[in-house]
Amino acid sequence: MFFAPISNSFIDNEPESIQFAISLFDSCMKSDNQFDIMAGLFLVERQSQKYSSNPNYSPSQIFEKVSSHLFDENSMIKYRSHKAMRRLIQSGLFETKEKVAQLVDQYPQYKDDEKNLFFKLMSSFLEELESVNLETVQPIFEFCLSNISQFDIIGYILSIFTSFAAISPDFIKDLQKAILLNVHQIVLQKKFHFFKDATEALFAISQCFGQEKIGIFEKDIHLIIESIASEDCTLPFNKIVEVYQSISTLPFISSTKGNILTFLENSYEKVTGNTIYPFCTTCISLSTELNAEETESLIKKLTEIGMKEEDE
């Protein structure tokens, strides 16, 4: 566990240490000690960028060694395994259709409360949209297509389709009706944790096929706003900010401005860390609709956020 955090600078300055790092990883993964295994997983997670520039830095059979712990009974090993796998995917080390298919085929092994881990892995293959190999990620699209009727995971499915739409509108051209029906059901059934996915799906369709395609969903957006402002809302503050950020990108800003502005005015004191970016981008989206007084008030609050972060 000590070596992993300093491994990057260590290998930068000591080229001969590459083999040592590989041997250390192999030793950790052969161990029965949970802390050794977590250290090995943490090591390759930290080293993932090195593997991106030089695959020879990576240990042999790294995919098999990391994926073998995706369903470990130890929750911490499982967590570290998934995090390491995501970083390795993002490094481009596993960009083959066969490896993608192997991960897709493991879906039935995920418990209901762990399915988000699966979709995080799938999303990792789609982060660099400009360089995505369509043949490589085809198993992901086919999986989502075959599971579009599974409402318990529909938010994750919509998120994947949104990513594919950014690659080419053709991916979702024939899925518009199904996507929109599911968005409506998410709103009606108050699936709070899927609100962001639903609004981002609407944005994708409006961008790909025109704003008129989602015009009738203005009422749904107001229902989402009402829902996340109610006492029944189960979303933490950072997720609520993300929903407002997504709503602010939709072509309903003239009618949602008042609700968004009220939220921004009333919640700025809670903004910190990972909520700063979505909060600020929401302000930017809203800026063209604000009068001088509203703009001045919002600038003051953004300044306070900036000063607070600087003090911390």
Side-chain angles (χ1 to χ4, degrees), residues 14 29 32 34 53 57 70 96 130-131 155 167 184 186 201 252 294 301:
E14 299 291 339
M29 302 311 284
D32 293 327
Q34 63 172 330
S53 58
Y57 282 13
L70 291 176
T96 68
E130 294 181 358
S131 59
I167 298 172
H184 187 55
I186 287 172
F252 309 130
E294 292 166 338
K301 289 174 172 54

Side-chain angles (χ1 to χ4, degrees), residues 77-141:
I77 292 177
K78 183 187 297 183
Y79 168 78
R80 291 248 64 97
S81 178
H82 276 84
K83 193 165 184 181
M85 183 62 79
R86 290 200 302 273
R87 294 290 182 268
L88 292 167
I89 290 171
Q90 291 161 356
S91 76
L93 198 60
F94 302 147
E95 286 187 357
T96 68
K97 186 176 182 179
E98 291 71 27
K99 285 184 170 59
V100 174
Q102 284 182 52
L103 292 174
V104 169
D105 290 343
Q106 290 181 331
Y107 174 75
Q109 298 183 54
Y110 284 90
K111 299 176 182 177
D112 287 345
D113 60 350
E114 297 175 344
K115 289 179 179 178
N116 65 310
L117 296 175
F118 169 81
F119 285 100
K120 283 182 179 180
L121 293 183
M122 298 301 103
S123 296
S124 296
F125 284 106
L126 299 167
E127 288 189 358
E128 298 294 331
L129 296 177
E130 294 181 358
S131 59
V132 168
N133 183 306
L134 296 182
E135 183 179 358
T136 298
V137 298
Q138 188 65 28
I140 300 175
F141 183 79

Side-chain angles (χ1 to χ4, degrees), residues 32-246:
D32 293 327
N33 184 290
Q34 63 172 330
F35 297 107
D36 289 345
I37 297 171
M38 285 191 287
L41 293 168
F42 191 44
L43 174 61
V44 293
E45 176 191 333
R46 286 300 186 100
Q47 286 291 292
S48 60
Q49 287 303 311
K50 291 288 187 297
Y51 306 153
S52 177
S53 58
N54 192 338
N56 292 327
Y57 282 13
S58 66
S60 62
Q61 296 184 310
I62 186 173
F63 178 84
E64 291 75 16
K65 291 172 182 175
V66 174
S67 64
S68 67
H69 290 286
L70 291 176
F71 303 99
D72 200 287
E73 293 181 0
N74 184 300
S75 60
M76 285 304 299
I77 292 177
K78 183 187 297 183
Y79 168 78
R80 291 248 64 97
S81 178
H82 276 84
K83 193 165 184 181
M85 183 62 79
R86 290 200 302 273
R87 294 290 182 268
L88 292 167
I89 290 171
Q90 291 161 356
S91 76
L93 198 60
F94 302 147
E95 286 187 357
T96 68
K97 186 176 182 179
E98 291 71 27
K99 285 184 170 59
V100 174
Q102 284 182 52
L103 292 174
V104 169
D105 290 343
Q106 290 181 331
Y107 174 75
Q109 298 183 54
Y110 284 90
K111 299 176 182 177
D112 287 345
D113 60 350
E114 297 175 344
K115 289 179 179 178
N116 65 310
L117 296 175
F118 169 81
F119 285 100
K120 283 182 179 180
L121 293 183
M122 298 301 103
S123 296
S124 296
F125 284 106
L126 299 167
E127 288 189 358
E128 298 294 331
L129 296 177
E130 294 181 358
S131 59
V132 168
N133 183 306
L134 296 182
E135 183 179 358
T136 298
V137 298
Q138 188 65 28
I140 300 175
F141 183 79
E142 292 174 354
F143 168 85
C144 291
L145 191 60
S146 63
N147 284 276
I148 195 170
S149 62
Q150 302 300 312
F151 194 69
D152 62 317
I153 57 171
I154 192 57
Y156 305 127
I157 299 290
L158 292 182
S159 180
I160 296 292
F161 281 146
T162 297
S163 294
F164 274 101
I167 298 172
S168 171
D170 290 340
F171 277 108
I172 64 167
K173 184 177 181 180
D174 297 330
L175 298 173
Q176 292 179 70
K177 183 177 180 180
I179 290 173
L180 293 175
L181 286 173
N182 277 303
V183 167
H184 187 55
Q185 285 303 310
I186 287 172
V187 177
L188 291 181
Q189 298 187 35
K190 293 187 177 181
K191 298 297 182 181
F192 297 107
H193 56 299
F194 289 154
F195 277 175
K196 180 186 176 186
D197 305 304
T199 51
E200 288 184 344
L202 288 178
F203 177 75
I205 287 179
S206 70
Q207 289 294 103
C208 292
F209 309 108
Q211 296 181 2
E212 66 277 5
K213 294 290 185 178
I214 65 168
I216 61 172
F217 282 84
E218 188 167 357
K219 290 182 179 179
D220 287 58
I221 295 304
H222 283 280
L223 285 174
I224 288 178
I225 292 173
E226 289 177 16
S227 296
I228 59 179
S230 71
E231 295 181 356
D232 297 333
C233 182
T234 57
L235 293 176
F237 178 70
N238 65 309
K239 296 299 181 184
I240 292 175
V241 176
E242 290 178 357
V243 174
Y244 272 107
Q245 176 194 18
S246 183

Side-chain angles (χ1 to χ4, degrees), residues 227-284:
S227 296
I228 59 179
S230 71
E231 295 181 356
D232 297 333
C233 182
T234 57
L235 293 176
F237 178 70
N238 65 309
K239 296 299 181 184
I240 292 175
V241 176
E242 290 178 357
V243 174
Y244 272 107
Q245 176 194 18
S246 183
I247 289 173
S248 71
T249 66
L250 296 173
F252 309 130
I253 195 70
S254 58
S255 69
T256 58
K257 167 197 162 183
N259 300 100
I260 297 173
L261 186 59
T262 298
F263 170 76
L264 296 174
E265 294 272 0
N266 294 338
S267 62
Y268 77 97
E269 292 181 340
K270 300 179 185 177
V271 174
T272 184
N274 64 350
T275 58
I276 293 176
Y277 177 77
F279 186 91
C280 290
T281 53
T282 304
C283 293
I284 293 171

